[in-house]
Amino acid sequence: MSFLISKIAGFATSPLVWIILSMIVTFVLWIRRANATKAWLIITIVLSVVMTNPLLANTIFHYWEKAHTTPAVSDTTRYDYAIVLSGMVSEDPAHNQLNFGESSDRILEAAKLFHAKKVCKIIVTGGNASIYYQQSPEAKLLTEFLNSIGVPDSCIVSENKARNTYENALFTAQLPEISQNTAAQNLLITSAYHMPRAAACFRNQGINFTPHPVDYYVSDIKTDFHSIFVPSIAALEKWNILLHEWLGWLYYKTMGYI
């Protein structure tokens, strides 16, 4: 149920959907010459301006990411496991390729730390999170990718059932490498915007870890003319991510997942 709700929320929290629905309501009211037409027109304009303003989106996104700003790995620390949350890859059978998304920094960072001997093994958690298409579990795809860049199977632990952040934590906690080794030093690797919710889920499962955020969207806030006044599709995407995370946090809190 939580998996289905998370997918519905992805649609409900889209600011683009809000703007389109507002435009439709305004148009219908205008056709009917309704008194509320002017009010809905103002709502549509304000919503469009706010949600496409890059300065506002970047500022809020920047401070959300600052929950964990410093990478956890020092020059002297060697971790037992790097726990990598998926949500970055799909398979393309037509071209016999893997398609990586924006969150691919997660797996690249884990591979880099492994080759630098900062971590001994990599745990990859993630199944098939699509409600529309059947594909191999992401953990399987990422394991094959790690193999291709020199990480042997003996140094990879694959958890291939999880479909959301809560299940990432739940099923990782059930792995023998974690449940039977509570003293292990673990790194939790995910995108910076996702780390607050992910860390809360893993902490709730009793897993010992140090956060290691990657994939920062807004490292600094730009204040040039373009970044202040020119509407941006990227701003819409940032709002989409933030609203999904905030609603996800609220839902997880209500369900006792965090």
Side-chain angles (χ1 to χ4, degrees):
M1 179 62 72
S2 64
F3 169 67
L4 181 59
I5 290 175
S6 69
K7 296 306 172 184
I8 295 173
F11 175 82
T13 58
S14 169
L16 182 58
V17 171
W18 296 358
I19 292 171
I20 291 173
L21 288 177
S22 182
M23 292 174 65
I24 292 172
V25 171
T26 302
F27 180 72
V28 170
L29 291 173
W30 177 75
I31 291 292
R32 296 181 176 181
R33 300 294 190 268
N35 294 332
T37 303
K38 184 177 180 180
W40 272 97
L41 178 60
I42 293 173
I43 290 172
T44 302
I45 293 172
V46 171
L47 190 61
S48 300
V49 170
V50 168
M51 290 298 175
T52 59
N53 181 265
L55 179 63
L56 182 60
N58 288 338
T59 300
I60 296 175
F61 208 103
H62 174 71
Y63 284 104
W64 177 255
E65 288 185 315
K66 284 185 69 175
H68 299 283
T69 56
T70 306
V73 178
S74 69
D75 291 337
T76 58
T77 304
R78 191 177 190 198
Y79 290 84
D80 297 299
Y81 296 99
I83 303 172
V84 182
L85 276 63
S86 62
M88 71 195 81
V89 66
S90 61
E91 56 187 344
D92 181 1
H95 301 95
N96 193 28
Q97 293 178 346
L98 295 179
N99 293 330
F100 284 89
E102 292 181 346
S103 299
S104 56
D105 284 0
R106 303 177 187 182
I107 197 67
L108 296 176
E109 179 71 3
K112 184 186 80 172
L113 293 174
F114 173 81
H115 287 302
K117 303 189 184 302
K118 297 290 186 179
V119 299
C120 299
K121 294 186 178 182
I122 299 173
I123 296 176
V124 184
T125 167
N128 176 19
S130 173
I131 60 176
Y132 304 110
Y133 308 106
Q134 288 297 319
Q135 69 165 26
S136 300
E138 279 201 53
K140 178 179 181 295
L141 301 178
L142 292 172
T143 295
E144 293 172 355
F145 171 72
L146 288 172
N147 291 159
S148 72
I149 58 174
V151 182
D153 275 329
S154 60
C155 294
I156 304 172
V157 179
S158 179
E159 183 291 296
N160 59 16
K161 296 186 296 181
R163 299 168 300 173
N164 56 33
T165 306
Y166 165 66
E167 292 184 355
N168 286 139
L170 177 67
F171 296 142
T172 298
Q174 296 171 1
L175 294 172
E177 291 81 2
I178 299 298
S179 62
Q180 299 175 15
N181 188 12
T182 56
Q185 293 195 72
N186 308 305
L187 276 183
L188 181 63
I189 301 178
T190 190
S191 301
Y193 72 80
H194 185 234
M195 184 59 79
R197 185 159 58 104
C201 285
F202 276 76
R203 195 174 295 115
N204 195 48
Q205 293 297 325
I207 299 174
N208 175 49
F209 68 90
T210 300
H212 188 73
V214 296
D215 184 33
Y216 285 88
Y217 275 58
V218 186
S219 297
D220 59 347
I221 302 170
K222 295 180 173 60
T223 55
D224 58 273
F225 179 86
H226 188 277
S227 299
I228 295 176
F229 297 109
V230 179
S232 168
I233 294 296
L236 275 175
E237 176 60 23
K238 290 185 177 73
W239 275 115
N240 190 45
I241 292 171
L242 284 173
L243 291 167
H244 180 82
E245 285 301 310
W246 294 344
L247 185 62
W249 179 279
L250 180 62
Y251 175 71
Y252 278 21
K253 191 72 174 177
T254 302
M255 298 297 294
Y257 297 163
I258 58 178

